[in-house]
Amino acid sequence: MNDLTFRVYAVKTKLKKAIMKQRIISMLVGLTMMMGASAQGTERIDREEILTLYGNAEKTDSLYNFWNTYVQVHPKDEVAWHNLFEVSEKMVSSRIHTTKDWKGCEEYRKQLNVVGRMEKAIPGTYTFYYSAYEGSYLPEEEEKLAKKNNMTTLYMHHDAYADSAIATLPSNAMAGDYERWILHLIPKCDTVRINQLLTRYYESGQYPEETLQYHFNELQGMETGGVYCGAHEGDIIGKLILQRVLGVHQDKILYDENASMDPEYVKAVFEHIGISFDKAWYWQGYENQIEKQRAIMRYIFDHSKRPVYLSAHNMQGYVLGYGLPDELKACLYNEGLTIRYSTKPYDNMAVKRCNIEQRYRLEYLRMPFHPKMKDTQLFSFSADAYAMNYMRLLHDQLPYYKKHNRERYQWLHDIFTDIIERLEKENYDVDEFKGYLK
């Protein structure tokens, strides 16, 4: 063996030993995690941890292997199965994003067969029904039948899994569980079950107080009987809690744009608003979902006799995140936390000042009185981000108050100062907000 060959051999041997050492360490770490999880009680993977898996195939594969081994050792552990399912779905969605091969990725999901294995291990549980719903699961024989019946069987199973999940929703359900099923039920106009879930969600204490207060102030700034158009359920759920659990602002009509692809939902909303619904109009040919949603929004704007509002903080969220077309934006007037549609110009700044002075309840912004909760919501917007919204949307009135109402100026200035001090303590960049006070 010459010197060069020997050196190559030595490097290869060293590399093999390093790889073997790494594998042993990984195995020991995995065993340690497994023992720890078993001893302390398994914890669900939270939203933040799932977000860290984006673009990190190595971490995703490692986490999958860990939970896949764990359920083999603990086959009745629902939380472990839930974690395995969430990670496996992340693996599938990553492949879809990379390859754009939907059929191939569906085959990959079937190879993993997480829900199929779950059905044998923990049938009849909330975790199985949730996973079967989210994974659009069908046993092999029924899948063949579904294809023959133009997918009718698949959709029936999809709803059946949701119904079973809602019926078995545990008492310690997380915020995201409540939101997922409320999201499912809104387009079905299932008032009874929506109200039950809203009540349970509110009473669980998991809906953030600051978020609920922000939703309250959005509705508080609207005229009686106004129509509120939300981009998605994140704009709607808090307001539903206010209306149906706490019994306030029940005169306001809520439209969830994310549910607009269900004609029965749109029909129900139109009837509530007091405008006609024409099935032929709804089903006429549109190029895509964006065009249909824009047509529905235009119809509401044009035909509603009630004032129509949008959320000022979520303007880009409308029509699938592309925003509204320019011709509609030209008729939108900011009134504070909300934007009102009007074809006739009016003094919207006077309305904004009325909201600030008489309608909005802003004192809660000066000091939070409870600790931060772990965020398990599907639709979350932090208390700090909402506080920033207030400053961005209301600061344009400070110059007016400074000139015409010093007492009101000092009051609003002090609220902003308290918010900025809180944000500074949490290490936010507050230069933008300090600029409002100059």
Side-chain angles (χ1 to χ4, degrees):
M1 184 180 293
N2 60 41
D3 185 56
L4 177 61
T5 304
F6 177 78
R7 278 185 289 171
V8 170
Y9 173 78
V11 169
K12 287 183 176 179
T13 302
K14 187 176 181 181
L15 182 60
K16 286 180 179 178
K17 288 181 178 179
I19 292 172
M20 182 60 71
K21 182 179 179 181
Q22 184 61 44
R23 286 176 177 171
I24 291 172
I25 291 173
S26 297
M27 183 178 68
L28 290 173
V29 170
L31 286 172
T32 302
M33 287 174 64
M34 197 177 297
M35 290 171 65
S38 179
Q40 299 172 14
T42 321
E43 291 187 5
R44 272 176 61 166
I45 292 178
D46 62 26
R47 182 170 169 269
E48 294 301 320
E49 189 168 359
I50 288 293
L51 290 176
T52 66
L53 301 181
Y54 281 98
N56 193 334
E58 185 177 352
K59 181 177 179 179
T60 306
D61 289 344
S62 176
L63 209 53
Y64 175 85
N65 291 332
F66 169 75
W67 288 114
N68 195 41
T69 303
Y70 193 96
V71 296
Q72 294 174 39
V73 179
H74 306 279
K76 298 299 181 183
D77 191 324
E78 280 194 58
V79 177
W81 277 110
H82 173 92
N83 293 345
L84 178 61
F85 172 75
E86 294 292 353
V87 177
S88 70
E89 285 299 291
K90 182 53 59 190
M91 293 168 69
V92 172
S93 64
S94 295
R95 284 202 174 198
I96 292 173
H97 179 74
T98 304
T99 67
K100 311 299 181 184
D101 179 10
W102 288 83
K103 187 174 181 181
C105 291
E106 186 56 36
E107 287 301 317
Y108 178 59
R109 178 187 273 139
K110 290 177 184 176
Q111 290 172 21
L112 296 177
N113 193 31
V114 172
V115 183
R117 289 185 283 143
M118 192 186 300
E119 185 175 25
K120 294 179 180 178
I122 52 170
T125 61
Y126 171 75
T127 301
F128 166 68
Y129 293 131
Y130 160 85
S131 304
Y133 173 86
E134 285 293 299
S136 299
Y137 172 70
L138 267 183
E140 187 175 349
E141 289 302 315
E142 295 194 36
E143 184 177 10
K144 293 177 182 177
L145 181 62
K147 290 178 180 178
K148 291 181 181 179
N149 292 339
N150 298 319
M151 304 307 287
T152 301
T153 304
L154 174 60
Y155 295 130
M156 289 174 62
H157 269 269
H158 202 236
D159 276 359
Y161 288 138
D163 291 341
S164 296
I166 293 169
T168 56
L169 187 66
S171 59
N172 63 343
M174 291 186 175
D177 293 308
Y178 291 114
E179 293 182 349
R180 186 177 309 279
W181 305 122
I182 293 168
L183 179 159
H184 171 77
L185 294 173
I186 284 175
K188 299 180 181 302
C189 305
D190 190 335
T191 304
V192 173
R193 287 195 293 173
I194 289 174
N195 291 352
Q196 291 171 348
L197 289 175
L198 290 169
T199 301
R200 286 185 59 182
Y201 187 13
Y202 175 73
E203 292 179 349
S204 75
Q206 295 183 78
Y207 198 89
E209 291 180 23
E210 291 92 343
T211 305
L212 203 60
Q213 186 66 60
Y214 191 92
H215 285 294
F216 176 86
N217 280 337
E218 280 193 313
L219 295 176
Q220 189 83 345
M222 294 168 54
E223 294 296 327
T224 301
V227 178
Y228 178 91
C229 299
H232 52 65
E233 289 75 16
D235 289 335
I236 299 295
I237 291 175
K239 294 175 180 65
L240 286 174
I241 290 175
L242 288 167
Q243 290 184 334
R244 302 188 185 185
V245 181
L246 301 180
V248 296
H249 287 298
Q250 293 176 316
D251 60 294
K252 310 301 190 299
I253 297 171
L254 307 178
Y255 165 62
D256 178 4
E257 188 180 54
N258 199 41
S260 63
M261 300 315 289
D262 190 310
E264 293 305 313
Y265 172 76
V266 176
K267 179 182 178 182
V269 172
F270 278 20
E271 289 176 350
H272 201 183
I273 295 173
I275 56 181
S276 62
F277 177 81
D278 185 341
K279 282 189 176 182
W281 166 82
Y282 180 87
W283 287 114
Q284 65 180 292
Y286 293 101
E287 290 185 9
N288 50 47
Q289 185 174 346
I290 293 174
E291 289 306 311
K292 180 182 279 289
Q293 287 188 328
R294 283 180 174 173
I296 294 170
M297 189 71 80
R298 282 192 182 95
Y299 198 90
I300 293 173
F301 285 159
D302 292 343
H303 293 84
S304 174
K305 302 299 182 184
R306 300 168 179 266
V308 181
Y309 299 83
L310 307 173
S311 174
H313 90 91
N314 201 19
M315 281 302 297
Q316 285 304 115
Y318 291 95
V319 191
L320 300 182
Y322 289 94
L324 297 173
D326 290 341
E327 68 269 21
L328 293 182
K329 289 180 182 178
C331 298
L332 298 178
Y333 293 82
N334 177 252
E335 294 185 353
L337 303 186
T338 52
I339 291 175
R340 182 171 177 173
Y341 177 83
S342 176
T343 56
K344 298 179 181 179
Y346 67 100
D347 188 358
N348 59 303
M349 290 297 99
V351 178
K352 179 185 277 195
R353 287 191 291 273
C354 177
N355 285 336
I356 292 172
E357 297 166 19
Q358 302 176 27
R359 294 175 174 174
Y360 295 158
R361 299 179 184 177
L362 302 179
E363 290 298 324
Y364 83 96
L365 290 164
R366 307 192 71 160
M367 181 178 177
F369 289 97
H370 60 84
K372 287 186 176 180
M373 298 181 296
K374 185 176 181 180
D375 179 12
T376 64
Q377 294 179 279
L378 288 181
F379 307 99
S380 62
F381 202 70
S382 73
D384 293 332
Y386 276 124
M388 293 177 194
N389 272 350
Y390 280 105
M391 290 190 285
R392 290 191 174 112
L393 294 171
L394 306 182
H395 79 273
D396 60 357
Q397 296 308 298
L398 282 172
Y400 176 90
Y401 285 133
K402 191 172 187 178
K403 183 177 181 180
H404 299 284
N405 188 333
R406 292 292 301 187
E407 183 178 354
R408 183 62 64 179
Y409 168 80
Q410 194 61 51
W411 170 78
L412 191 58
H413 185 283
D414 289 347
I415 289 177
F416 284 3
T417 300
D418 287 344
I419 294 172
I420 290 169
E421 288 179 356
R422 191 176 85 216
L423 294 175
E424 277 188 308
K425 290 178 182 177
E426 298 181 24
N427 299 316
Y428 285 98
D429 181 353
V430 295
D431 288 346
E432 172 194 350
F433 308 115
K434 284 184 176 179
Y436 299 159
L437 306 183
K438 294 178 180 178

